[in-house]
Amino acid sequence: MMEREPFFFGIRHLSPAGAFYLRQLLARRRPRMVLVEGPCDLGDEMVHMRKTQSQPPMAVLAYTKEAPIRTILYPFASYSPEYQAILWCGEHNVECRFMDLPTDVFLALPAREDIPEEEKAGEEERFQVYRALDLRCGEDGHETFWERTLEQAASMEGYREGANLFGRYIRELTGENDRDWEEIRLREAWMRGQIRKAVAEGIPPEEILVVTGAYHVEGLQNWEQMPDPEEEKLLQELPRAASSHTLMPYSDYRLSSRSGYGAGNKAPAYYGLLWEALHGKDPMYATYCYLARIAGFQRKSGSPVSSAEVIEAVRLSVELAQMRGGQIPALRDLRDAAVTCLGGGHFASISLAVADTEIGTRIGSLPEGVSRTSIQEDFYRQMKEWKLEKYRDITAQDLALDLREKRNVASEKSAFLDLHRSFFLHRLRVLGVSFATQGKHVQDNATWAEHWQLRWTPEAEIQLVESALKGDTILQAVAFQMKETMEGAGNLGSMAQVIEDAFLCGMPAAAGQATDALAHKAVDAISLEELARTVERLSVVIRYGNIRQVDEKPLVPVLGRIFYRACLLLPGACVCDDGASNVVITAMQQLNGAALAHDFLDQEGWKAALSQVADRDDLNTRISGFAAAVLLERGLMDTRQLQTEVGRRLSPGMPADLGAGWFEGLAMKNRYALIARLSLWESLDGYLDTLDQEEFKRALVFLRRAFADFTAREKDEIAENLGEIWHLNGSQVSEVLNSVLGEEESGLLESLEDFDFDL
C-alpha cells in the first residue's frame, strides 16, 4: 500500500543530474501536482517559460513599484531542475505551482546591507562550516565533491539520497546559527502551508511531488505540522512591498559565481556539457567536449594545439580522476589536464579559453511580447526599428555613426538612420542603461561622427525595468529624468548638462524648458568656473544643432549673456594662489574655445578681459602669462608688445616665483612661436643670471613645470637657441635638456616644490 505522503526531491538549483533524474522520476510517478520552490505569485510566468521560442538562460525579475526600486532575480538554465519540472508538467498537462513566499514579501524583507552588524555573526558560522566541509571532502573543495558524488550519480535514487543527506548535514551544522534562520523558518512554514492547501483542494498527498533545495527537505517533510503561535503571528504580519515581475533573458556569465550569482555553479557552460552528456548517455562526452573546445579556442587565437595533445589531455584527466577516487573526470581534473597538456604547464596560457569553455557566452531569448514592462517593449521595438538587434550580444561590439544625411537611399528613415540611432543611445545613456557606452564625443573634430561600444548584459535589462517608474516609454522616462535633474540642479553646470543631453537625445521641448530655467539661474551665478563650464556645454550644443536637426537659436542669447558675465568676472578671479590658478586657466581655455567657435559672442569684451589680465601686476603671474599666450595665439599681441612684456616680467629684481611663474603661463601655448623668438630666450637667460642661489632654486620649480610636457623635438629647438646664446654646441645642450634626472636631482626638485621659501 502506497504511503500517503508527498514525494520530496531535494536538488541544487543549477544541477544537470538533478534535472535529468527529476524528469525520470516524474515520468515514473506521474504526479497530479508538482510544487516547485519559487515565489508563489510567479506562476503566470510558467506559461511563457514553456513556449518553444523561450530559450534559457532566462530569469524572472521581481521589482518594487515605488522608489527606491528593489529587485530580486530567479534565474533558470536549461539544466535547472525547477525549469525541467515546469516543462514536464506543461508537456503532460499536470498542474505545477511555485510554493515559496510571494515576491512582495521577499522585497519587503531587510536587504543584506540593512542588517545590523551584530546580526551578521551567523554568516561567519556558515563560512566556517563550508571551510570545514572543503577540508573533509579531500578535494579542492566541496564543489568538486558535489560534482564527483552527485552530478556523476549513476541513478535517480543515488542522487536523491545523496542530495538529501548533503542538505541535512549542512542544516545540522548551520541550523539556528544561520543569520537567515528566521527567514528560513518562515519560508518553510509557508511552503508547508502550500502543501496542505493542495491536499485540502483534493489532491492526494502521495500524488504531490515537491521539488525543493536539498537544505529544505527536512523542514518540509513534517508538512502536516501547523505553525506554532509565534510562526503564525509572524506569517500574519509579514511585511509586503507592492511589486511586479517580468520574464527576461539571462546569460551564462550572469549565472556564474563571478557575477555575483553562483548557486553552486561556477561553470555554467561546462554544466551545460554535463546536461548534454546525460542525454547522450555517454559519461565521457563532457570530457571530450571540454578539452576539444579549449583546443579550438587556442587555435582560433593563434596558439597551435595538436590532436595528439588533446588525446593526451583526455588520458591524463581520466588518470587524475582515478587517482582522486573517481572514474569520470570532474572539472578539476579537466582543468589540470588542460593546463598540463594544452597550456604548457601555465594556466595563463589558456585562461581565456578556460573562461570561454567553462562560463560561456550564451544569452537566452524570449518571444516578442512576452511578459515585459512597457519600457522593455519599447526598447526592443526600437532595437529592431534602428537595426541594432545584432548588437544584443554579451561580447562588446563597436558602432561608428555618421549623423549626416545619406542622400543615396530611398527613404527619409534610412537617410537619418544613424542620427536616430544616436538619439536612442543617448537616451539610454541619460537613463543609466549600460547597454551603450560612448567613446570620444567628437572624432577628428567632426561634429557628425560618434563612436559607441554596445554590449548587452542582464544588468542593462534590470536598469530598464528600474526606469519603468519614470515612464512607459524610453522617451517619457528620459523626459521625466531631465525634469527631475533640472528641478534639483544647484548650479548652472547641471542645467547646461540637461540642455546638452536634450539636444543629443533629440528632445527640443526638454531643451527649451531647461534653456528658460538656465536663463533665470545665470543672473545669480558668481563662479567663473561654473560660468565657463556652462559656456562650453552650450557652445557644443549650438555647434551640434544643425546636424541634429534641433533649433539652437534660443540658446544664442543665453550663451551671449553668460559669456559676457564671465568676461566681467575674469580679472577678479585671477587674484588667487598657484593652486587655484589651474581652475582659472581651464576656465579661460573654455571661454576662448567658445569665442573662437562663435562670432556672435562679445569678441571685444573677451579681448579687453584678456588684455587686462595680461597687463596687471597685482594678479597671479602664471595666469597673466597664460593670458598673454592666448592674445599671441589669436594675433592680438604683436612682437613689440611681447618684447615689452618680457622685459617687464623678466627684469632684474623681479622675484623668482613671479618671473618664472609668468614664463610658465606663457609657455602653455604657442610653443613653436615662442621657440622661434631668440630674444625671448635671451631675456630668460639674462633674468636667471640676476638671481641669487635661493631665488634660482625657487625659479627651478616653475621652470620644471613649464618644460615638463615639452616634446624631445621642442627641447632640441630650445637647445639650439640656448647653444647660440651660450656659444655652445646645440646637440650637447640638447643632450643635457633631454637627459633623465638622476635620483638625487629628482629628489631635490621634488622637495623644492613643497619647501616654504618664506620661512
Side-chain angles (χ1 to χ4, degrees):
M1 182 176 177
M2 182 179 289
E3 187 178 359
R4 292 182 60 79
E5 292 289 336
F7 194 92
F8 294 90
F9 192 77
I11 48 93
R12 239 179 172 184
H13 295 297
L14 293 167
S15 171
F20 182 76
Y21 289 129
L22 174 59
R23 287 195 69 110
Q24 281 191 356
L25 177 65
L26 289 166
R28 183 190 307 173
R29 292 187 67 91
R30 296 279 174 173
R32 285 177 57 185
M33 178 177 288
V34 177
L35 297 176
V36 175
E37 183 184 328
C40 58
D41 57 334
L42 300 184
D44 55 338
E45 299 294 357
M46 291 184 182
V47 175
H48 305 303
M49 293 170 68
R50 292 174 181 139
K51 293 184 176 179
T52 55
Q53 304 98 316
S54 297
Q55 297 296 319
M58 65 183 75
V60 180
L61 171 69
Y63 55 95
T64 54
K65 291 183 177 180
E66 296 181 359
I69 299 292
R70 288 185 61 188
T71 61
I72 45 176
L73 276 160
Y74 298 91
F76 300 92
S78 57
Y79 47 83
S80 294
E82 303 95 326
Y83 175 65
Q84 289 301 324
I86 291 167
L87 291 184
W88 186 91
C89 289
E91 294 162 7
H92 297 86
N93 199 28
V94 172
E95 185 175 3
C96 186
R97 295 179 186 173
F98 286 123
M99 62 174 178
D100 209 339
L101 289 170
T103 55
D104 58 355
V105 173
F106 278 117
L107 288 165
L109 293 172
R112 176 73 187 94
E113 58 271 16
D114 298 333
I115 297 173
E117 286 299 322
E118 61 270 17
E119 296 181 24
K120 295 180 182 178
E123 184 155 311
E124 179 60 27
E125 181 77 19
R126 182 190 296 178
F127 290 156
Q128 292 288 354
V129 168
Y130 277 103
R131 278 197 289 267
L133 182 61
D134 288 342
L135 292 174
R136 293 290 300 273
C137 286
E139 295 274 5
D140 59 338
H142 67 279
E143 297 294 343
T144 300
F145 169 80
W146 175 276
E147 182 188 350
R148 208 182 296 283
T149 307
L150 291 163
E151 296 303 333
Q152 295 179 5
S155 67
M156 184 277 292
E157 290 79 5
Y159 180 92
R160 179 175 179 249
E161 290 178 15
N164 288 352
L165 191 64
F166 187 91
R168 185 166 72 249
Y169 283 156
I170 294 295
R171 187 184 184 93
E172 289 175 0
L173 290 169
T174 57
E176 296 183 10
N177 294 320
D178 198 307
R179 71 169 178 84
D180 293 333
W181 182 247
E182 289 305 314
E183 180 182 319
I184 290 168
R185 281 182 58 204
L186 288 176
R187 289 178 58 201
E188 291 179 350
W190 180 277
M191 287 191 278
R192 290 195 298 269
Q194 297 299 302
I195 298 173
R196 293 195 300 273
K197 178 182 176 183
V199 173
E201 292 173 1
I203 307 294
E206 67 273 13
E207 297 194 35
I208 298 173
L209 195 146
V210 179
V211 182
T212 184
Y215 183 95
H216 297 296
V217 169
E218 189 169 291
L220 300 184
Q221 283 179 329
N222 57 342
W223 59 278
E224 291 181 287
Q225 176 186 329
M226 300 298 290
D228 60 37
E230 181 187 358
E231 287 177 342
E232 184 64 37
K233 183 174 184 294
L234 291 172
L235 288 171
Q236 294 293 332
E237 298 174 356
L238 282 172
R240 293 179 182 269
S243 66
S244 189
H245 56 265
T246 178
L247 190 63
M248 57 176 274
Y250 218 56
S251 68
D252 277 346
Y253 174 76
R254 180 72 189 215
L255 285 172
S256 75
S257 58
R258 299 188 189 186
S259 67
Y261 180 87
N265 188 340
K266 294 182 178 180
Y270 168 70
Y271 269 58
L273 296 178
L274 296 181
W275 174 242
E276 294 171 19
L278 287 163
H279 283 80
K281 303 193 184 304
D282 182 354
M284 289 294 291
Y285 174 86
T287 297
Y288 302 144
C289 287
Y290 179 94
L291 295 169
R293 289 185 184 184
I294 286 183
F297 187 97
Q298 290 294 91
R299 289 168 182 168
K300 288 180 181 178
S301 303
S303 300
V305 175
S306 68
S307 299
E309 288 171 317
V310 176
I311 293 170
E312 191 60 33
V314 171
R315 290 173 177 165
L316 178 58
S317 68
V318 173
E319 291 172 2
L320 288 172
Q322 292 172 348
M323 287 172 56
R324 293 162 175 165
Q327 294 300 317
I328 303 168
L331 181 58
R332 176 192 182 187
D333 309 317
L334 293 171
R335 184 183 287 188
D336 288 348
V339 170
T340 302
C341 300
L342 309 181
H346 303 287
F347 177 75
S349 302
I350 60 169
S351 59
L352 294 178
V354 167
D356 182 74
T357 304
E358 292 183 7
I359 296 176
T361 59
R362 181 179 300 178
I363 296 176
S365 61
L366 298 171
E368 189 172 345
V370 164
S371 193
R372 292 181 179 138
T373 60
S374 58
I375 199 168
Q376 287 173 286
E377 292 289 359
D378 186 47
F379 172 80
Y380 284 102
R381 179 190 62 77
Q382 293 198 55
M383 287 284 286
K384 184 176 183 180
E385 182 176 5
W386 309 126
K387 301 181 180 179
L388 294 170
E389 288 179 301
K390 71 176 183 178
Y391 296 97
R392 189 182 162 276
D393 192 275
I394 199 167
T395 304
Q397 299 180 69
D398 292 329
L399 174 64
L401 299 180
D402 183 340
L403 309 184
R404 296 172 295 185
E405 180 182 3
K406 296 172 180 60
R407 301 182 182 278
N408 58 342
V409 294
S411 67
E412 183 178 355
K413 181 177 178 180
S414 298
F416 293 103
L417 176 63
D418 277 2
L419 178 61
H420 287 291
R421 284 174 163 179
S422 175
F423 290 157
F424 175 60
L425 297 178
H426 275 293
R427 290 169 187 174
L428 295 177
R429 174 184 60 79
V430 170
L431 281 179
V433 177
S434 57
F435 170 66
T437 304
Q438 190 178 11
K440 290 183 179 180
H441 190 63
V442 178
Q443 294 180 330
D444 303 326
N445 295 320
T447 58
W448 46 264
E450 283 185 351
H451 179 269
W452 295 82
Q453 189 173 78
L454 308 184
R455 179 174 176 265
W456 186 91
T457 63
E459 285 78 7
E461 192 97 25
I462 294 170
Q463 290 154 358
L464 271 175
V465 171
E466 290 174 345
S467 299
L469 288 183
K470 300 174 183 177
D472 293 332
T473 66
I474 290 172
L475 184 62
Q476 289 176 1
V478 174
F480 181 87
Q481 176 70 50
M482 289 181 176
K483 182 174 180 290
E484 276 201 327
T485 303
M486 188 170 57
E487 290 175 350
N491 54 56
L492 292 185
S494 299
M495 287 187 168
Q497 177 68 65
V498 173
I499 293 173
E500 183 178 0
D501 284 340
F503 273 78
L504 294 174
C505 293
M507 299 172 64
Q513 293 169 1
T515 300
D516 292 341
L518 179 66
H520 290 95
K521 187 81 172 176
V523 176
D524 302 322
I526 57 173
S527 164
L528 177 69
E529 179 186 8
E530 186 180 350
L531 289 167
R533 189 164 54 244
T534 303
V535 164
E536 183 180 48
R537 289 196 181 282
L538 297 186
S539 174
V540 169
V541 170
I542 291 173
R543 294 203 306 271
Y544 269 66
N546 289 336
I547 197 71
R548 292 188 171 273
Q549 300 183 343
V550 179
D551 183 13
E552 75 284 359
K553 293 184 182 65
L555 280 178
V556 170
V558 178
L559 176 58
R561 288 196 295 272
I562 296 174
F563 182 83
Y564 177 71
R565 185 170 177 78
C567 291
L568 295 178
L569 291 178
L570 176 59
C574 297
V575 183
C576 62
D577 59 17
D578 276 343
S581 67
N582 289 324
V583 174
V584 177
I585 287 173
T586 298
M588 292 170 67
Q589 289 174 319
Q590 292 168 329
L591 293 169
N592 190 55
L596 289 169
H598 308 292
D599 292 338
F600 63 81
L601 294 178
D602 186 358
Q603 303 294 333
E604 289 302 316
W606 178 233
K607 177 183 175 182
L610 287 173
S611 298
Q612 186 180 163
V613 173
D615 292 343
R616 283 174 56 174
D617 295 331
D618 60 333
L619 306 181
N620 182 289
T621 56
R622 185 165 177 258
I623 301 175
S624 294
F626 183 76
V630 175
L631 289 169
L632 273 173
E633 182 181 59
R634 298 194 59 173
L636 301 175
M637 176 183 281
D638 58 28
T639 301
R640 181 185 60 78
Q641 291 171 311
L642 176 63
Q643 288 174 341
T644 301
E645 197 65 18
V646 169
R648 186 165 70 89
R649 298 287 186 175
L650 300 180
S651 61
M654 178 67 69
D657 53 347
L658 300 182
W662 179 86
F663 182 83
E664 181 189 354
L666 182 71
M668 294 177 75
K669 277 184 171 290
N670 314 302
R671 289 179 181 172
Y672 283 110
L674 296 177
I675 291 169
R677 287 181 165 89
L678 184 62
S679 60
L680 174 65
W681 302 98
E682 289 174 336
S683 298
L684 178 62
D685 178 57
Y687 169 68
L688 294 175
D689 283 342
T690 68
L691 302 178
D692 61 28
Q693 186 175 6
E694 290 304 312
E695 288 177 323
F696 182 75
K697 287 180 180 179
R698 188 191 292 257
L700 277 182
V701 174
F702 294 91
L703 294 175
R704 181 192 180 206
R705 284 199 312 234
F707 295 120
D709 56 350
F710 273 58
T711 66
R713 180 180 175 184
E714 289 168 343
K715 290 178 181 178
D716 285 341
E717 294 179 357
I718 293 171
E720 289 292 334
N721 286 337
L722 295 177
E724 186 173 338
I725 295 169
W726 296 337
H727 306 293
L728 295 174
N729 186 299
S731 60
Q732 291 177 318
V733 178
S734 176
E735 186 176 340
V736 174
L737 283 180
N738 283 295
S739 64
V740 178
L741 290 179
E743 189 173 328
E744 184 177 343
E745 297 165 310
S746 180
L748 173 63
L749 281 174
E750 288 176 3
S751 67
L752 286 174
E753 290 193 10
D754 299 324
F755 186 72
D756 187 348
F757 289 96
D758 294 325
L759 289 177

